[in-house]
């Protein structure tokens, strides 16, 4: 009655999201429900989601069907704790180069994974979109079992400094630093490895193009069990209305098969970019970035120009 009467989802801050993108070759479906206060009064959040994704990567096709439930507790206004449980079935097919990576070949067809996770988040940013002050910190631990048994640790940290602004708060010049550190267990399947290259990882490289490769040039991008990715960025206004902003940045780091830092595979890519705010497209600006790798691994794939919606977390 509330749903058809127009009174549902009003006042309780609950959210429901449904996405359906059917296609002749690939499909994408997802549904998510979130309640920030369980039963309307407990200081515990609840979320449930389900998904079906078809993805085409450079070296294989991937179908994922699964779901996840999570409970969260806000310890302070800035500090929150979350625990979750998920299950998914991952089907790998159409491997581009069979025989190059025996590990990937063994994971063809159906793979069933169950996972339990716990995360701790501390967020003091003044805005989730292009923040100018504060920091974001998240620690994630996930234990996965099923066809593969392994542990995974991830730490992400972003810090923002406001260098200057106009009296009305516009025209902000900001400096930011971000780092991502991750470790995954020895039984991690190839399709769950860390990959780098492109948006939110290492600009100046093709998507997944800054990752370990099996088989040499034009081989299979197999990723790795260790990642260390960093970015330093300076943002400044170009126009008085902040519709156009410029950025100067340097992305650096690596993804490796095991926990190590190797000078021969460490990547560094400085660059320049443009941010264009279009109100009709929402608060996240369009991002146009140019980056040139000055240090890379032997078989990395470069991409000088990249375009995306500038929304990170």
């Amino acid at each position: 009655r509330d749903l058809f009467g127009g009174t549902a989802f009003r006042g309780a801050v609950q959210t429901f999201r449904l996405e359906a993108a059917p296609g002749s070759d690939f499909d994408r479906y997802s549904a998510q429900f979130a309640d920030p206060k369980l039963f309307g009064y407990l200081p515990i959040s609840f979320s449930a989601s389900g998904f079906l994704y078809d993805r085409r990567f450079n070296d294989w096709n991937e179908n994922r069907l699964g779901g996840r439930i999570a409970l969260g507790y806000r310890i302070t206004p800035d500090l929150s704790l979350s625990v979750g449980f998920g299950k998914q079935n991952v089907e790998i097919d159409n491997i581009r180069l069979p025989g190059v990576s025996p590990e990937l070949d063994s994971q063809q067809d159906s793979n069933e994974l169950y996972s339990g996770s716990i995360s701790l988040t501390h967020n003091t940013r003044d805005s989730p979109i292009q923040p100018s002050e504060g920091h974001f910190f998240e620690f994630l631990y996930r234990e996965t079992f099923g066809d593969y048994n392994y542990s995974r640790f991830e730490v992400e940290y972003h810090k923002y400094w406001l260098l200057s602004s106009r009296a009305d708060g516009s025209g902000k010049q900001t400096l930011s630093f971000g780092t991502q550190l991750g470790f995954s267990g020895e039984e991690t399947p190839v399709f769950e490895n860390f990959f780098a290259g492109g948006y939110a990882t290492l600009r100046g490289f093709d998507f997944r193009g800054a990752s370990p490769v099996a088989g040499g040039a034009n081989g299979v991008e197999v990723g790795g069990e260790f990642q260390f990715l960093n970015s330093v960025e300076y943002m400044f206004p170009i126009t008085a209305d902040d519709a156009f902003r410029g950025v100067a940045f340097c992305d650096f780091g690596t993804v490796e098969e095991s926990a190590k830092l190797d000078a021969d595979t460490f990547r560094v890519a400085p660059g320049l970019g443009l941010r264009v705010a279009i109100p009709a497209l929402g608060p996240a600006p369009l991002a146009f970035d140019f980056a040139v790798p000055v240090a890379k691994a032997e078989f990395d794939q470069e991409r000088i120009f990249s375009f995306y919606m500038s929304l990170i977390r």
Side-chain angles (χ1 to χ4, degrees):
R1 184 171 64 241
D2 290 339
L3 182 63
F4 291 101
T7 58
F9 301 108
R10 293 177 180 267
V13 204
Q14 297 168 333
T15 59
F16 176 73
R17 182 175 186 269
L18 181 66
E19 178 188 27
S24 58
D25 295 322
F26 294 93
D27 304 309
R28 185 176 71 251
Y29 303 95
S30 66
Q32 183 181 45
F33 171 78
D35 189 342
K37 289 189 176 181
L38 196 61
F39 303 120
Y41 64 93
L42 292 179
I44 298 174
S45 63
F46 168 80
S47 65
S49 61
F51 58 86
L52 169 62
Y53 296 142
D54 279 324
R55 295 168 172 167
R56 176 180 291 169
F57 295 116
N58 294 337
D59 297 304
W60 68 82
N61 292 348
E62 185 178 291
N63 175 280
R64 289 182 182 248
L65 173 64
R68 185 176 185 273
I69 59 172
L71 293 172
Y73 178 70
R74 188 171 293 278
I75 303 171
T76 71
D78 300 327
L79 184 65
S80 60
L81 181 70
S82 176
V83 295
F85 178 81
K87 187 266 181 183
Q88 60 178 324
N89 186 81
V90 184
E91 186 171 336
I92 304 297
D93 60 15
N94 199 29
I95 296 176
R96 183 174 64 90
L97 296 173
V100 172
S101 171
E103 183 181 3
L104 178 61
D105 293 343
S106 68
Q107 294 159 13
Q108 187 164 311
D109 297 326
S110 182
N111 304 273
E112 196 169 69
L113 301 177
Y114 299 86
S115 63
S117 64
I118 181 169
S119 65
L120 184 67
T121 304
H122 192 251
N123 184 9
T124 65
R125 298 173 300 175
D126 56 353
S127 171
I129 301 174
Q130 291 191 331
S132 58
E133 293 182 286
H135 69 261
F136 176 91
F137 170 83
E138 182 177 66
F139 170 80
L140 171 68
Y141 168 73
R142 178 181 293 115
E143 187 70 30
T144 301
F145 52 96
D147 289 340
Y148 304 92
N149 303 308
Y150 61 94
S151 301
R152 192 182 190 103
F153 299 87
E154 294 183 62
V155 176
E156 185 170 355
Y157 177 74
H158 298 272
K159 176 64 178 177
Y160 305 87
W161 296 273
L162 177 62
L163 303 181
S164 67
S165 66
R166 303 188 187 101
D168 61 357
S170 63
K172 293 179 178 179
Q173 298 185 43
T174 60
L175 179 67
S176 64
F177 169 75
T179 185
Q180 302 174 60
L181 181 66
F183 303 87
S184 199
E186 293 182 357
E187 287 191 32
T188 305
V190 171
F191 55 83
E192 287 289 282
N193 274 343
F194 295 111
F195 293 87
Y199 165 68
T201 58
L202 293 173
R203 287 165 287 188
F205 296 90
D206 201 1
F207 174 67
R208 294 193 168 189
S211 307
V213 174
N218 299 316
V220 177
E221 296 165 350
V222 295
E225 297 169 358
F226 170 73
Q227 76 167 4
F228 178 57
L229 306 175
N230 307 271
S231 181
V232 178
E233 185 171 287
Y234 167 62
M235 181 177 291
F236 54 92
I238 297 177
T239 59
D241 60 357
D242 288 340
F244 292 85
R245 299 184 183 187
V247 295
F249 62 86
C250 183
D251 294 346
F252 58 98
T254 188
V255 169
E256 302 288 351
E257 296 179 6
S258 59
K260 65 176 182 178
L261 293 177
D262 189 336
D264 293 333
T265 55
F266 197 82
R267 288 89 171 177
V268 180
L272 298 171
L274 179 68
R275 302 293 179 266
V276 182
I278 302 177
L281 296 179
L286 302 178
F288 305 87
D289 286 336
F290 295 85
V292 178
V294 296
K296 62 178 183 176
E298 181 179 4
F299 302 120
D300 285 350
Q301 301 294 319
E302 297 183 22
R303 180 179 292 273
I304 304 302
F305 172 72
S306 61
F307 162 74
Y308 56 93
M309 295 291 287
S310 180
L311 177 61
I312 299 179
R313 290 201 169 273

